[in-house]
Amino acid sequence: MDDPRPAGSRTLATVKTVGWIAGALLAGALIAIVVVDRKVHLADTGSDSLVPWWMFVAWSLLFYALYWVGFRYLVQTLRRHDAASQRLIRDLTEANENLELAQTLGRTGTWTAIRDGPITWTGSAAQLIGLEPSKTRITPEAFIALIHPDDRKRALSAYLHALRTRGTLALDLRMQPPDGGLRWVSIRGAVAEDRSRIAGTIVDVTRQMHAHERLVATEHQFRILFDDNPMAFCVYDATTLEILEINKAVVQQFGYSREELIGVPISAMAIPEQRSAVAEEVEAYAGKPQMAPRIWSAQRKDGSIRELRIHATAIRFHGRDAWLILAEDVTEQLARQRELAYRATYDPVTGLLNGRAVADALQAQEDQPWRLAYIQLRGLELIEDSLGQAVGTRVMQRMARRLERLGYEYGEVGHLRPEEFVLAVRDPARWDQALRELREELSRSVSGAGSRQQLEAWIGTARFPDDHPDAMEAIHLAGLAAHLGRAEGHAMVAFEPSMSHKAGHRLRMAARMHRALDNCEFQLHFQQIRDLRNGRTTGLEALVRWPQPEGGFIPPADFIGVAEDTGLIVPLGRWVLQEAVRAYQSLVAAGHEGLSIAINVSQVQFLKTDLLRDFDEVFRAHALPRGALHVELTESILMTRPEQARALLAQLQERGVCISLDDFGTGFSSMAYLHHLPIDAMKIDRAFVRHVHVDRRNASICQALLQLGHGLSLTVVAEGVEEQAEYDWLRDHQCDKAQGYCIARPAPLEKILDSLEP
Ligand code: C2E
Ligand code: CA
Ligand code: CA
């Protein structure tokens, strides 16, 4: 059985045993010596008188006592040593255990390879390559077998090299332990002076290697992300602001090489006038994790400027504080945005503010009373149709420049729709003056395509915020006034609350007209035109009627304007033309071959519809003699578009259509242009015919008009003749024809046919 006590304790016990035995033996020996010596002495001398025996005993006792003192000292010294050695052993064991533990935990171990002998290592070293901790000795062959085949050659040559050069060994190897799996170990060692062995450490670096691999993979991915990213990336030093890295996109987009940019301050990428601002911005973000996105204007190598939206994040780059910036090229996007913002505020053709922008400007100064003039032009579309869009645009731009001046002078001006503008006057005291100037500007012809173009204009006025607290609505109210003014033939109208009702009424009427046209509710009445020389009916004027279910008619004056506004005038006009032709044929069938039919053509119809084509269709379908159809036009049509009117009228005349100038004297006709126009007749408006026999003013006007008409070889027709006296006066003053209630009221054709002389 093994003695469980430590070696020191065992020695002490042995010494103690030996000491006791030696003590006992010594005591026995002393006693024996004393006894023997006594006997010898007594035998020799027979007396003990020479040296007293007790002296001898005393010396023996003293010697014996000295022995025990020495023995005790020895035992105590041994005990102390034993305790110290036990402490040391304990400490060493503990330290060893700790070291083992530390090595196991730290996945490290120590080893020694004896030249041409086995390799010994610590248990932790055995463990970390997958062997039992007790297997602390291994042959070099067995060790090599544990190395990954790809690393064996490298390991061996490093080992031999270290031995040969007596240098150090530093190896990172893959080990294939018997338990499977793969482990990375880092072996470090040094060769002994006599080259008899190499000793060193072995550390499991699998985790670090994996982390490294991951790092390498991440780095690789980052490289791909950074380098091959189509967006421009750049890294610059947070302190020196120098560019540390750029990606390929930067090179491609800005034309500089990598070498040209690395080391350059980031602010140098900006255009010169922005550089100091960029540097300040960048510095202001020092220590912050991110920069708010911002726009920098950067200059490319070729000098062109790109607008960049910068997104920047603080990073660590090769151990330095740096910023990673992503530069998004937003040049086109910004240009588009600017364009949109411009469009949202300005009219792209005239460059004037648009309606919304004017309204916003007014709303921002709503404590100030504004007067608004809504200008509705007419004629631009026609210029475009006949002379081309470019001319139309030029004319509109010129008009816009005039209005712009007024806007600058009096407040604001805006362009709302192609032919609609608004002038907002800030100071009510200057309103009249502004209006005067506005009307003057509008009445002046505008040059375009070598000739001067006259535009018609209607003005509606309103007050902001008095008429409406919303500026846009107030502008609309002024527009409504202009619109109604135009429909009613007034060049300038101020908004009144009743107009809103009127506008609603017009809208409802438009809807009803649609239905009426679909349901053929319209009728055509005719009014006779009489020759004053012989008293015979020479023709009929077709007048449209819209009968109502509750009886009576809506007068044409009430719905023609709505029809014009809504475009319904086109189908209505065609229907009138066809009915007129039917009436003509009925007249012929009834034996009244010589009677003509006059149809009224409104301004919109004349200017905007293809009148000629409608007539051509009629002539193709029906063989009508020359003079069978008359067209009645008002002067204003001819004034607005003299050139176009002339051409169209000439073409109508060519086809045998006679032209009458309706409501003559009410417009702004100038005699100068009359003789240029292909006209056959002029109709003196009822306003001048009224009481002509007693009204001296009307009489002189009628005389002048008769003279003018005859001077131009025109047939003169008097309209609205209600009284016989008027009729007589006209006949006596050589008026050619007359029309009016005193001759006949407008009536359906059947009635007319009944009343006509056979
Ligand atoms: P307008 O061409 O001047 O037509 C003459 C108007 O005077 C007609 O009014 C007629 O009924 C009215 N009238 C005739 N004799 C007298 C009279 O002795 N005294 C009075 N006070 N009035 C008389 P109506 O039918 O109400 O037509 C009004 C206007 O409507 C027309 O004026 C014409 O401009 C327009 N109109 C009528 N029918 C058509 C049409 O088919 N197409 C177009 N575009 N306009 C039409
Ligand atoms: Ca007429
Ligand atoms: Ca008339």
Side-chain angles (χ1 to χ4, degrees):
M1 248 177 84
D2 282 349
D3 189 339
R5 288 174 303 176
S9 303
R10 280 203 305 272
T11 313
L12 183 63
T14 313
V15 167
K16 268 182 177 174
T17 313
V18 171
W20 279 109
I21 294 169
L25 287 176
L26 186 62
L30 284 176
I31 292 167
I33 290 171
V34 170
V35 172
V36 171
D37 182 64
R38 207 59 248 160
K39 278 189 182 148
V40 171
H41 198 73
L42 286 175
D44 289 349
T45 62
S47 88
D48 55 356
S49 57
L50 194 59
V51 181
W53 65 270
W54 53 267
M55 277 290 281
F56 198 75
V57 170
W59 277 109
S60 295
L61 280 175
L62 181 66
F63 182 73
Y64 192 61
L66 275 175
Y67 167 80
W68 279 112
V69 168
F71 176 66
R72 188 177 161 76
Y73 176 76
L74 177 71
V75 167
Q76 266 177 351
T77 304
L78 276 175
R79 203 177 263 155
R80 256 200 322 276
H81 277 278
D82 181 39
S85 78
Q86 276 187 38
R87 247 194 336 271
L88 191 65
I89 289 167
R90 211 173 42 242
D91 287 354
L92 275 174
T93 314
E94 208 172 292
N96 195 45
E97 278 168 7
N98 285 346
L99 182 66
E100 271 289 309
L101 186 67
Q103 286 191 345
T104 311
L105 288 177
R107 307 196 63 73
T108 149
T110 52
W111 56 271
T112 309
I114 307 209
R115 196 170 189 169
D116 306 326
I119 301 167
T120 54
W121 49 35
T122 56
S124 57
Q127 236 173 336
L128 69 84
I129 53 170
L131 303 178
E132 286 296 314
S134 58
K135 194 159 173 56
T136 52
R137 181 179 286 262
I138 191 170
T139 60
E141 294 71 28
F143 179 74
I144 287 172
L146 287 171
I147 299 174
H148 188 279
D150 294 349
D151 293 349
R152 281 176 198 159
K153 215 170 134 192
R154 187 162 59 85
L156 204 59
S157 66
Y159 175 76
L160 295 174
H161 177 78
L163 262 185
R164 200 172 48 249
T165 58
R166 222 190 305 137
T168 52
L169 177 70
L171 256 178
D172 287 335
L173 290 179
R174 280 168 294 174
M175 303 296 289
Q176 283 180 316
D179 61 359
L182 193 83
R183 267 172 224 181
W184 276 95
V185 293
S186 172
I187 296 173
R188 299 285 179 273
V191 182
E193 236 352 73
D194 58 359
R195 297 191 194 180
S196 61
R197 59 199 156 87
I198 302 186
T201 57
I202 177 165
V203 183
D204 183 347
V205 290
T206 314
R207 226 177 282 157
Q208 290 91 313
M209 281 315 240
H210 284 168
H212 179 71
E213 274 167 9
R214 274 200 301 276
L215 196 72
V216 168
T218 313
E219 168 94 15
H220 181 66
Q221 274 173 350
F222 173 76
R223 274 274 136 215
I224 292 176
L225 265 178
F226 182 85
D227 241 14
D228 299 341
N229 201 303
M231 300 284 253
F233 276 101
C234 169
V235 178
Y236 68 87
D237 190 295
T239 320
T240 64
L241 308 188
E242 280 170 11
I243 296 176
L244 302 174
E245 192 55 278
I246 56 162
N247 70 348
K248 288 181 203 150
V250 174
V251 174
Q252 277 161 11
Q253 289 176 23
F254 294 90
Y256 296 104
S257 69
R258 192 170 172 280
E259 293 65 39
E260 280 173 304
L261 288 179
I262 301 293
V264 165
I266 186 70
S267 53
M269 291 290 284
I271 53 171
E273 50 272 41
Q274 246 191 28
R275 278 178 199 161
S276 57
V278 164
E280 271 171 36
E281 274 177 34
V282 162
E283 273 159 15
Y285 275 91
K288 307 254 166 63
Q290 227 158 23
M291 236 184 244
R294 58 207 45 253
I295 303 290
W296 288 350
S297 300
Q299 197 157 13
R300 293 203 283 210
K301 198 173 182 181
D302 65 7
S304 59
I305 291 167
R306 306 299 295 170
E307 308 237 41
L308 308 175
R309 178 172 291 131
I310 301 293
H311 308 265
T313 312
I315 56 164
R316 290 283 297 166
F317 188 79
H318 295 320
R320 308 192 202 189
D321 280 332
W323 285 92
L324 169 69
I325 62 175
L326 183 156
E328 186 188 355
D329 191 331
V330 289
T331 314
E332 277 77 30
Q333 197 182 326
L334 283 186
R336 243 189 340 269
Q337 273 174 11
R338 280 193 202 112
E339 167 83 10
L340 282 179
Y342 182 84
R343 275 167 192 266
T345 317
Y346 292 95
D347 181 272
V349 177
T350 57
L352 295 181
L353 287 178
N354 61 23
R356 184 70 265 164
V358 172
D360 289 347
L362 263 56
Q363 206 75 56
Q365 307 169 59
E366 61 187 340
D367 39 351
Q368 146 114 39
W370 290 83
R371 294 293 190 91
L372 312 173
Y374 194 101
I375 302 127
Q376 200 172 59
L377 298 175
R378 194 153 71 187
L380 274 171
E381 225 172 285
L382 193 82
I383 295 173
E384 285 186 358
D385 291 350
S386 50
L387 300 171
Q389 194 168 4
V391 179
T393 304
R394 210 153 50 236
V395 168
M396 181 153 70
Q397 283 167 338
R398 296 222 162 109
M399 186 54 97
R401 293 289 76 77
R402 293 182 193 176
L403 297 176
E404 190 176 38
R405 185 192 67 75
L406 292 176
Y408 183 72
E409 176 85 28
Y410 293 103
E412 301 282 355
V413 74
H415 190 177
L416 299 119
R417 273 178 246 164
E419 294 184 304
E420 290 168 28
F421 297 83
V422 65
L423 172 67
V425 176
R426 187 176 282 120
D427 181 2
R430 300 181 70 203
W431 171 239
D432 290 339
Q433 170 70 17
L435 266 190
R436 244 193 324 275
E437 283 185 37
L438 174 65
R439 295 183 76 165
E440 226 172 83
E441 293 289 16
L442 294 173
S443 65
R444 266 173 47 216
S445 60
V446 188
S447 60
S451 62
R452 297 199 69 81
Q453 309 294 328
Q454 187 68 47
L455 297 173
E456 269 188 292
W458 287 268
I459 299 172
T461 66
R463 291 162 307 159
F464 168 75
D466 296 9
D467 286 332
H468 204 290
D470 183 286
M472 198 68 222
E473 288 301 321
I475 292 173
H476 283 149
L477 294 180
L480 179 67
H483 198 69
L484 291 176
R486 195 184 98 176
E488 288 168 2
H490 305 297
M492 192 166 87
V493 175
F495 169 77
E496 287 165 20
S498 64
M499 285 179 175
S500 302
H501 303 293
K502 239 190 221 172
H505 171 73
R506 284 169 75 84
L507 272 179
R508 283 191 294 279
M509 184 178 278
R512 282 175 55 205
M513 273 186 83
H514 259 291
R515 284 197 297 275
L517 262 172
D518 289 346
N519 302 337
C520 305
E521 287 174 26
F522 288 97
Q523 293 177 358
L524 210 52
H525 282 196
F526 297 89
Q527 190 179 28
Q528 299 180 35
I529 300 170
R530 190 160 287 175
D531 190 326
L532 285 173
R533 283 166 302 193
N534 58 22
R536 293 180 70 88
T537 298
T538 60
L540 306 176
E541 179 179 359
L543 295 160
V544 71
R545 293 289 176 262
W546 185 5
Q548 295 302 297
E550 62 275 12
F553 306 100
I554 296 180
D558 284 5
F559 65 82
I560 292 293
V562 177
E564 285 185 333
D565 283 353
T566 54
L568 284 169
I569 195 71
V570 178
L572 183 67
R574 278 194 198 124
W575 176 82
V576 168
L577 177 59
Q578 269 148 19
E579 281 301 296
V581 171
R582 283 236 317 256
Y584 179 82
Q585 287 168 330
S586 303
L587 285 172
V588 172
H592 305 290
E593 272 99 356
L595 298 191
S596 61
I597 303 274
I599 60 164
N600 291 283
V601 171
S602 76
Q603 180 152 343
V604 172
Q605 246 177 308
F606 186 76
L607 295 176
K608 293 200 175 165
T609 69
D610 204 341
L611 200 62
L612 206 59
R613 209 182 62 193
D614 290 349
F615 271 93
D616 281 343
E617 250 171 50
V618 163
F619 289 128
R620 257 198 307 278
H622 311 279
L624 298 174
R626 298 185 74 79
L629 294 181
H630 286 217
V631 159
E632 294 190 6
L633 303 160
T634 58
E635 297 165 81
S636 57
I637 303 175
L638 309 177
M639 284 285 288
T640 326
R641 314 255 10 108
E643 289 310 311
Q644 194 197 356
R646 240 167 78 91
L648 184 54
L649 293 182
Q651 283 167 310
L652 283 171
Q653 263 188 343
E654 262 172 42
R655 287 159 175 77
V657 179
C658 294
I659 313 291
S660 302
L661 216 48
D662 210 352
D663 304 344
F664 195 80
T666 55
F668 315 95
S669 351
S670 84
M671 290 183 218
Y673 79 84
L674 267 183
H675 75 274
H676 288 301
L677 289 169
I679 321 170
D680 301 286
M682 67 151 74
K683 293 180 87 172
I684 302 178
D685 192 76
R686 181 178 130 67
F688 309 114
V689 174
R690 217 168 155 237
H691 303 146
V692 70
H693 56 294
V694 285
D695 186 329
R696 291 187 53 201
R697 200 174 145 266
N698 270 0
S700 57
I701 293 173
C702 279
Q703 275 172 326
L705 292 177
L706 279 162
Q707 214 176 349
L708 168 72
H710 289 150
L712 295 167
S713 314
L714 302 177
T715 302
V716 181
V717 184
E719 282 192 301
V721 184
E722 288 184 354
E723 292 177 30
Q724 189 59 43
E726 292 164 0
Y727 183 95
D728 293 341
W729 188 95
L730 290 160
R731 185 196 55 218
D732 296 344
H733 286 83
Q734 281 76 49
C735 183
D736 303 300
K737 293 177 184 180
Q739 182 185 356
Y741 293 166
C742 101
I743 302 163
R745 284 184 176 256
L749 189 67
E750 305 81 61
K751 269 203 181 156
I752 307 259
L753 284 171
D754 289 346
S755 68
L756 283 177
E757 293 164 13

